[in-house]
């Protein structure tokens, strides 16, 4: 795709700004784009939006067709799989044509009259953006606490509702993370607030009916590399405050019957030892998932009154080839989520009896435990999906070893799983590591190298990219695209070492893995040079910028969504949300070794006079995780230096943040734009606008 010569792309003015570190003086001519309230910045972003709209004008008919097709697959009137909790059945439903959810419950069974907890459509009226935080019901089932964000920066105001009368209480608490945790007195809640950098750092206690300005601070996380939150054990007996860093955790506990009591440290943080643990409670023991002397984690227990690590006793040992990810406690069963060879497995262990794994019909899939609030049951709720199987909720009978389908997402528009082929491949990359690749395509797509292929990746924070289902993706598959996920290092698909070998001074493994996976797919005949596209978002947007600098010739087009591309400048600015807490991921550039390494791959710092592939960059003005100015600066520098005449587009959602537009349908306007960009590049015929 070539730019329309009749419209000149926007050019951001250059205002030299010197940044110096370790004797290295860097001149950043686009630093001024950080000024969010500057009218010149807003005018520039709007000019870029206008240019993008003009350049994609020929695809407007296709975008509309894609949008209608995508939302046409969504069942207008739909509801979630119900779950039970303390005598009520809870379900979320959607009404025809409405953007937001209606949260409901039924006393005893679904045959009882419906009670509406919260109608988000009503709450969203008058707001261009709306998101509600977690809904939390008081122990006596009478009161609701929830958060609301109307800007998109994930800053929520806590509100409360009397479920017996439908009355909204006058208590309103601003600047929270959107969730409250109830003590067992049904009057006291604990919540987390953010600092100026949006770090969750203080826990407060609020008693209903009192002035929130007088709420008592119960914990202050002073280390700015940690963030904090508060929650409740499944047993409802303990309140817990977690302090989390990339490589270290610490918990405090309090009897939920004693909200005015003193919090007790469970096990002091050990930053030097990089000690991680998470806890839950059952009976007279705590249960811990921990990396204590166990890279892939192990399960340990300890008494209620002796919780430091010298009292921990091993229940499930460490294994070199299995990553222990999660646990779920029941009266008669322990359920573990494990990952082996990149695939999640559900392990059921009776407290007395023979253990087993839940069997699933596909080789590559995503399985996980769902909402399981009840202790005294033999049923565990399991979620399941694959790249050709829609999200499904099962109740698994742990005694009879039987799966019962509760709900599978209904995909309208003639979808049939049998029309698609899902495969799992393993690519040997340049240093000998073997990287999994999951891919899916329509069964009619030719395997003669002619098909366009979209390669997706992330590769950061130990977040594993799963072989997940996407109803929107069908619009590409049905038009001949192959879709592939590269499970590159930096995630945790193959175990904890997979993460360790894709971070800090090993970060470039992430980029090389992605490039080598692209080369593998060409060599195996799934696509050809000139038909390979790439996409990633957030830290995956950093991946896009890095692989574009390293191998600009490999990609026929790239989409970088909310991309983290100005790594050096951001990691040197502790006023920006997330920065200080991410030194363990990227390294602290105040250290000259990390400064030079980060600078060697940071996309913004490595733009050069070269030919680059067509590129679509998306961002949100109110993004709290990757600030809008990173992609804006990156695009400005690319416009200045690139030597090709390929299209370069920047689209800024002026009303949203990191997650894009809110609502069930509206967000797919942006999806349709992304897909139209790819389809036009691939030569797909465009309908008339």
């Amino acid at each position: 795709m070539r730019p329309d010569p009749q419209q000149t792309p926007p050019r951001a003015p250059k205002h030299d700004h010197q940044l110096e570190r370790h004797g290295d003086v860097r001149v950043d001519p686009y630093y001024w784009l950080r000024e969010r309230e500057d009218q010149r910045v807003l005018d520039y972003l709007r000019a870029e939006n206008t240019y993008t709209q003009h350049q994609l004008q020929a695809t407007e008919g296709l975008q509309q067709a894609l949008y209608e097709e995508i939302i046409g697959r969504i069942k207008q009137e739909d509801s979630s799989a119900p779950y039970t909790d303390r005598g009520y059945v809870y379900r979320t439903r959607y009404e025809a044509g409405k953007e937001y959810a209606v949260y409901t419950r039924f006393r005893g069974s679904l045959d009882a009259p419906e009670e509406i907890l919260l109608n988000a459509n009503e709450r969203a009226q008058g707001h261009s953006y709306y998101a509600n935080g977690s809904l939390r019901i008081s122990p006596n089932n009478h009161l609701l606490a929830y958060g609301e964000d109307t800007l998109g920066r994930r800053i929520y105001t806590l509100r409360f509702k009397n479920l017996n009368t439908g009355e909204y209480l006058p208590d309103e608490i601003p600047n929270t993370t959107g969730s409250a945790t109830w003590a067992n007195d049904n009057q006291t809640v604990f919540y987390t607030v953010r600092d100026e950098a949006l770090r969750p750092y203080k826990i407060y206690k609020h008693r209903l009916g009192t002035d929130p300005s007088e709420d008592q601070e119960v914990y202050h996380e002073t280390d700015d590399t940690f963030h904090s939150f508060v929650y409740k054990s499944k047993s409802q007996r303990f309140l817990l405050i977690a302090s989390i860093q990339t490589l270290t955790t610490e918990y405090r506990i309090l009897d939920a019957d004693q909200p005015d009591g003193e919090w007790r440290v469970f096990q002091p943080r050990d930053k030097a030892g990089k000690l991680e643990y998470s806890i839950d409670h059952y009976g007279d023991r705590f249960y811990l998932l921990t990396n204590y002397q166990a890279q892939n984690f192990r399960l340990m227990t300890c008494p209620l009154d002796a919780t430091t690590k010298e009292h921990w006793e091993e229940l499930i040992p460490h294994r070199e080839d299995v990553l222990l990810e999660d646990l779920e406690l029941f009266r008669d069963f322990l359920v573990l989520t494990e990952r082996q060879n990149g695939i999640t497995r559900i392990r059921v262990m009776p407290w007395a009896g023979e253990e087993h794994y839940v069997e699933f019909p596909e080789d590559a899939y995503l399985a996980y435990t769902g909402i399981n609030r009840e202790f005294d049951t033999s049923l565990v709720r399991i979620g399941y999906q694959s790249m050709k199987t829609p999200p499904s909720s099962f109740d698994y009978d742990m005694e009879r070893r039987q799966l019962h389908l509760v709900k599978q997402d209904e995909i309208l528009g003639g979808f049939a799983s049998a029309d698609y082929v899902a495969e799992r491949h393993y690519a040997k990359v340049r240093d000998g590591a073997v990287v999994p690749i999951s891919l899916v395509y329509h069964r009619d797509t030719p395997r003669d190298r002619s098909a366009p292929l979209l390669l997706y990746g992330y590769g950061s924070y130990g977040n594993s990219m799963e072989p997940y289902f996407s109803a929107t993706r069908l619009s590409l598959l049905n038009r001949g695209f192959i879709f592939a996920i590269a499970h590159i290092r930096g995630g945790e698909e193959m175990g904890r070492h997979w993460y360790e070998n894709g971070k800090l001074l090993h970060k470039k493994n992430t980029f090389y893995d992605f490039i080598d996976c692209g080369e593998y797919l060409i060599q195996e005949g799934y696509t050809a040079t000139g038909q390979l596209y790439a996409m990633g978002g957030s830290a995956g947007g950093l991946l896009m910028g890095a692989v574009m600098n390293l191998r600009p010739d490999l990609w026929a087009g790239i989409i970088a969504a909310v991309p983290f591309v100005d790594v050096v400048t951001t990691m040197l600015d502790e006023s920006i949300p997330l920065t200080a807490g991410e030194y363990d991921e990227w390294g602290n550039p105040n250290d000259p070794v990390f400064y030079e390494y980060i600078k060697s791959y940071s996309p913004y710092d490595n733009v050069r006079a070269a030919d680059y592939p067509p590129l679509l960059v998306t961002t949100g003005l109110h993004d709290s995780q990757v600030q809008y100015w990173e992609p804006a600066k990156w695009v400005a520098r690319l416009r200045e230096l690139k030597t090709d005449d390929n299209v370069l587009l920047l689209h800024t959602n002026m009303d949203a943040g990191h997650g894009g537009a809110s609502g069930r349908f509206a967000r797919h306007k942006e999806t349709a734009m992304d897909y139209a960009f790819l389809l036009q590049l691939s030569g797909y015929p465009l309908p008339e606008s």
Side-chain angles (χ1 to χ4, degrees):
M1 185 197 304
R2 305 295 187 216
D4 185 341
Q6 295 183 353
Q7 182 170 8
T8 304
R11 295 283 181 177
K14 297 172 66 175
H15 304 296
D16 287 353
H17 180 91
Q18 286 194 351
L19 301 170
E20 182 175 358
R21 192 63 50 128
H22 310 303
D24 177 27
V25 178
R26 299 160 57 240
V27 176
D28 186 351
Y30 303 111
Y31 193 84
W32 66 277
L33 285 170
R34 296 163 54 100
E35 302 300 324
R36 190 190 310 270
E37 306 302 326
D38 191 322
Q39 189 60 45
R40 295 174 303 165
V41 173
L42 298 176
D43 289 344
Y44 170 70
L45 296 176
R46 292 190 177 102
E48 285 282 7
N49 282 353
T50 300
Y51 178 72
T52 295
Q53 184 179 12
H54 180 86
Q55 293 298 321
L56 294 177
Q57 188 171 8
T59 71
E60 286 181 355
L62 177 59
Q63 288 187 56
Q64 185 61 31
L66 286 165
Y67 174 71
E68 292 175 0
E69 184 178 290
I70 290 168
I71 67 171
R73 295 193 191 99
I74 301 172
K75 190 177 180 181
Q76 294 275 326
E77 293 187 2
D78 201 4
S79 60
S80 66
Y83 67 89
T84 58
D85 186 21
R86 296 197 303 265
Y88 281 85
V89 179
Y90 289 85
R91 188 169 67 182
T92 301
R93 62 175 174 83
Y94 293 92
E95 298 175 346
K98 299 293 181 66
E99 290 280 0
Y100 301 98
V102 180
Y103 300 90
T104 68
R105 72 177 182 180
F106 306 79
R107 185 188 295 270
S109 76
L110 291 174
D111 295 329
E114 178 188 74
E115 300 178 30
I116 294 180
L117 305 175
L118 188 74
N119 187 333
N121 298 290
E122 296 176 355
R123 302 296 300 176
Q125 289 181 9
H127 302 290
S128 58
Y129 178 93
Y130 179 84
N132 56 267
S134 301
L135 275 64
R136 294 289 183 262
I137 308 294
S138 61
N140 63 7
N141 294 319
H142 297 333
L143 300 167
L144 167 69
Y146 68 100
E148 290 185 324
D149 172 19
T150 57
L151 186 61
R153 284 184 67 77
R154 303 184 182 181
I155 304 173
Y156 294 82
T157 296
L158 275 182
R159 306 185 193 281
F160 300 86
K161 182 180 179 181
N162 185 318
L163 298 177
N164 294 327
T165 65
E167 170 193 12
Y168 288 92
L169 306 185
D171 310 58
E172 295 186 358
I173 306 172
N175 191 38
T176 79
T177 57
S179 178
T181 300
W182 291 92
N184 288 343
D185 65 356
N186 300 294
Q187 289 294 310
T188 305
V189 294
F190 294 85
Y191 62 91
T192 311
V193 301
R194 300 183 184 272
D195 63 13
E196 293 182 357
L198 304 186
R199 176 177 67 97
Y201 79 125
K202 285 185 179 180
I203 311 296
Y204 281 87
K205 177 173 61 177
H206 174 73
R207 187 171 179 83
L208 291 181
T210 65
D211 187 341
S213 66
E214 299 176 357
D215 287 354
Q216 178 185 347
E217 176 186 314
V218 299
Y219 179 67
H220 179 187
E221 179 50 71
T222 58
D223 186 331
D224 62 6
T225 67
F226 283 76
H227 68 274
S228 293
F229 59 91
V230 59
Y231 70 103
K232 202 172 190 179
S233 64
K234 180 177 178 178
S235 67
Q236 304 295 304
R237 180 171 172 182
F238 290 98
L239 300 164
L240 303 100
I241 292 175
S243 285
I244 305 292
Q245 187 197 47
T246 309
L247 300 176
T248 312
T249 58
E250 180 182 71
Y251 286 81
R252 285 165 170 75
I253 58 176
L254 178 67
D255 189 324
D257 291 332
Q258 304 294 329
D260 296 326
E262 293 295 322
W263 293 82
R264 172 166 62 97
V265 175
F266 189 92
Q267 157 62 41
R269 68 188 62 181
D270 181 2
K271 293 177 69 174
K274 300 179 181 179
L275 175 64
E276 297 179 64
Y277 66 95
S278 59
I279 58 179
D280 207 345
H281 160 255
Y282 176 38
D284 61 355
R285 310 286 290 179
F286 285 112
Y287 291 78
L288 307 94
L289 289 182
T290 179
N291 70 340
Y292 179 51
Q293 299 177 346
Q295 185 183 41
N296 275 341
F297 289 75
R298 57 178 169 160
L299 181 63
M300 307 188 79
T301 71
C302 67
L304 300 184
D305 58 354
T307 59
T308 50
K309 63 184 180 184
E310 62 267 22
H311 301 289
W312 297 356
E313 302 170 11
E314 183 175 87
L315 185 60
I316 304 293
H318 172 262
R319 288 155 292 171
E320 293 290 341
D321 62 339
V322 177
L323 177 67
L324 187 55
E325 292 192 326
D326 198 11
L327 81 157
E328 192 75 57
L329 298 168
F330 296 90
R331 187 193 67 180
D332 297 324
F333 299 91
L334 168 65
V335 178
L336 300 175
T337 302
E338 303 177 343
R339 187 181 296 272
Q340 187 170 29
N341 205 26
I343 301 298
T344 50
R345 306 169 69 199
I346 306 298
R347 181 181 181 184
V348 177
M349 303 179 64
W351 296 117
E354 182 181 351
E355 66 174 78
H356 66 277
Y357 286 88
V358 182
E359 295 184 0
F360 297 107
E362 298 174 271
D363 293 330
Y365 58 84
L366 165 61
Y368 52 92
T369 54
I371 299 176
N372 290 282
R373 299 282 174 82
E374 303 291 324
F375 259 114
D376 189 6
T377 178
S378 63
L379 300 178
V380 56
R381 176 64 53 83
I382 293 175
Y384 177 89
Q385 59 184 285
S386 75
M387 296 187 81
K388 56 179 286 187
T389 303
S392 310
S393 293
F394 290 92
D395 277 342
Y396 181 70
D397 190 318
M398 294 181 280
E399 292 178 346
R400 295 179 174 85
R401 303 189 182 187
Q402 295 176 345
L403 279 169
H404 169 66
L405 180 64
V406 178
K407 176 183 171 58
Q408 183 176 86
D409 285 1
E410 184 177 352
I411 311 301
L412 305 182
F415 168 79
S417 178
D419 289 341
Y420 302 90
V421 178
E423 298 178 2
R424 186 82 161 185
H425 290 254
Y426 296 88
K428 189 173 183 178
V429 299
R430 65 191 67 187
D431 68 353
V434 178
V435 180
I437 302 173
S438 299
L439 58 84
V440 63
Y441 54 91
H442 195 280
R443 65 181 182 181
D444 294 335
T445 298
R447 284 286 312 280
D448 58 2
R449 301 179 183 271
S450 65
L453 188 149
L454 177 59
L455 183 61
Y456 189 88
Y458 187 75
S460 291
Y461 303 109
N463 290 338
S464 297
M465 284 299 302
E466 309 289 0
Y468 67 98
F469 181 85
S470 169
T472 60
R473 186 194 299 145
L474 299 176
S475 291
L476 286 180
L477 304 185
N478 293 346
R479 289 172 172 82
F481 260 82
I482 297 172
F483 181 85
I485 299 172
H487 303 281
I488 51 183
R489 282 173 285 186
E492 230 171 33
E493 287 91 335
M494 304 298 282
R496 186 67 173 193
H497 73 283
W498 207 243
Y499 173 42
E500 299 290 347
N501 289 327
K503 60 182 291 196
L504 297 176
L505 298 177
H506 302 291
K507 187 62 202 171
K508 291 181 183 178
N509 285 336
T510 301
F511 316 139
Y512 298 143
D513 285 357
F514 191 82
I515 291 169
D516 292 351
C517 285
E519 298 269 21
Y520 170 89
L521 292 165
I522 292 173
Q523 293 165 8
E524 292 296 310
Y526 284 92
T527 191
T529 302
Q531 286 282 64
L532 177 62
Y533 301 86
M535 183 175 182
S538 195
L542 161 64
L543 171 68
M544 294 299 101
V547 301
M548 193 174 78
N549 283 330
L550 290 167
R551 284 295 306 278
D553 61 302
L554 187 59
W555 318 105
I558 290 178
I559 297 177
V562 292
F564 176 39
V565 285
D566 190 14
V567 188
V568 176
T569 306
T570 292
M571 294 305 297
L572 284 170
D573 187 350
E574 296 182 13
S575 70
I576 296 175
L578 305 184
T579 292
E582 300 205 349
Y583 289 152
D584 286 327
E585 179 71 25
W586 312 103
N588 186 343
N590 292 298
D591 179 331
V593 173
F594 283 108
Y595 176 86
E596 292 298 332
Y597 188 78
I598 295 171
K599 186 183 175 185
S600 73
Y601 69 74
S602 174
Y604 182 67
D605 293 288
N606 287 279
V607 174
R608 64 189 189 280
D611 288 354
Y612 285 98
L615 176 65
L616 170 61
V617 183
T618 62
T619 186
L621 181 63
H622 303 296
D623 196 329
S624 61
Q625 290 183 259
V626 178
Q627 306 294 321
Y628 74 88
W629 60 73
E630 291 200 37
K633 288 169 56 180
W634 184 42
V635 168
R637 177 161 282 185
L638 281 165
R639 289 207 191 285
E640 175 193 355
L641 294 177
K642 75 188 190 82
T643 54
D644 61 86
D645 60 354
N646 289 324
V647 70
L648 171 59
L649 304 177
L650 172 65
H651 172 73
T652 304
N653 188 320
M654 305 299 284
D655 296 315
H658 198 65
S662 65
R664 195 179 180 204
F665 305 107
R667 68 178 185 270
H668 292 305
K669 290 282 188 182
E670 295 175 354
T671 307
M673 178 182 67
D674 291 345
Y675 286 3
F677 172 77
L678 293 171
L679 288 164
Q680 184 180 28
L681 289 175
S682 71
Y684 186 81
L686 301 178
E688 294 184 4
S689 300

